[in-house]
Amino acid sequence: MQFTELDLAWLERIGVKHTVQVRADNVIKAVDDDPDTLYVLLSGTARVSLLYPDGRERMVSLVVSKGAFGELVMLSETTLQSSVVVIAHTNCLVGKIAYADVLAAVRRDPDLLRDIMRLTAAKSASLMREFERSTFGSGLSQIAALLFALRGEDGSVDISQDRLAGLAGKSRVTVAHHLHDLEKKGVIRLGRSKIQVLDADQLERLSNKLI
């Protein structure tokens, strides 16, 4: 459920001239914003989500530090009509690389185009796995995938059950049922507005389990 990180050398070969700070829970980019720009998450984490007309959000994937987005629209030179947005999950430092700079870098180093294609292919594979999970996976596997993606280095997920239900696009009752099931299995421990992952390996296995 995470987008692939970029190699630091990859970034250095292009160069990031402009950066912007984005506070948690603010939109970094909608699909049709700045179509001539490649975005790179220099620090923090961001979530790729679907926004519904009524304001509800459903998280699709997580972008970690050194992840990139916007290259598909930039390279295809097309406008996509979509409700997909990238939202800062934590406070983020975002780099913005203009299409002209990417093109100049590719002309200097044609291997960069291959790297960009690998990035796009890895992201497409990640989205396909998430599509399979949302279509064929159980509610438990979907909640497990969210927790696995959102966990910190210490295994903690600072989130309320209401907030988790919102990101999962499910009712709080349904999410609470799955969380208690995971707790009974010894995979997590529930706290007040906090979930501690006790067995990340088992959580990952459950997240990949299809019906």
Side-chain angles (χ1 to χ4, degrees), residues 55-92:
R56 290 181 299 122
E57 173 193 351
R58 181 184 175 188
M59 179 176 153
V60 176
S61 189
L62 195 72
V63 184
V64 296
S65 181
K66 303 303 181 294
F69 44 95
E71 79 287 345
L72 182 59
V73 174
M74 179 188 70
L75 293 175
S76 64
E77 299 183 349
T78 58
T79 300
L80 301 179
Q81 299 297 322
S82 175
S83 56
V84 175
V85 295
V86 181
I87 302 172
H89 190 67
T90 63
N91 292 338
C92 294

Side-chain angles (χ1 to χ4, degrees), residues 14-53:
I14 296 180
V16 179
K17 295 180 180 178
H18 304 287
T19 61
V20 60
Q21 296 276 355
V22 182
R23 296 182 64 83
D25 293 321
N26 284 298
V27 173
I28 298 174
K29 174 179 169 54
V31 165
D32 55 355
D33 287 344
D34 294 333
D36 295 329
T37 304
L38 172 66
Y39 288 73
V40 180
L41 197 63
L42 299 175
S43 66
T45 57
R47 56 188 186 268
V48 180
S49 297
L50 289 171
L51 287 186
Y52 295 95

Side-chain angles (χ1 to χ4, degrees), residues 118-199:
R118 285 176 175 170
L119 166 68
T120 302
K123 289 168 60 176
S124 297
S126 176
L127 290 174
M128 284 299 297
R129 285 193 297 271
E130 183 54 31
F131 175 75
E132 288 181 337
R133 183 183 293 113
S134 64
T135 304
F136 302 110
S138 65
L140 180 65
S141 70
Q142 294 168 27
I143 297 303
L146 274 176
L147 293 177
F148 186 79
L150 294 173
R151 78 196 192 287
E153 292 183 359
D154 62 352
S156 64
V157 183
D158 294 322
I159 194 170
S160 67
Q161 292 189 26
D162 282 335
R163 181 60 173 149
L164 185 61
L167 293 182
K170 300 184 181 300
S171 70
R172 188 185 186 284
V173 172
T174 298
V175 169
H177 170 75
H178 292 313
L179 289 176
H180 285 295
D181 190 8
L182 289 171
E183 188 172 44
K184 287 179 182 178
K185 296 178 185 295
V187 179
I188 63 171
R189 182 174 63 245
L190 298 175
R192 179 180 290 274
S193 295
K194 184 174 183 177
I195 300 168
Q196 185 67 40
V197 175
L198 304 177
D199 189 340

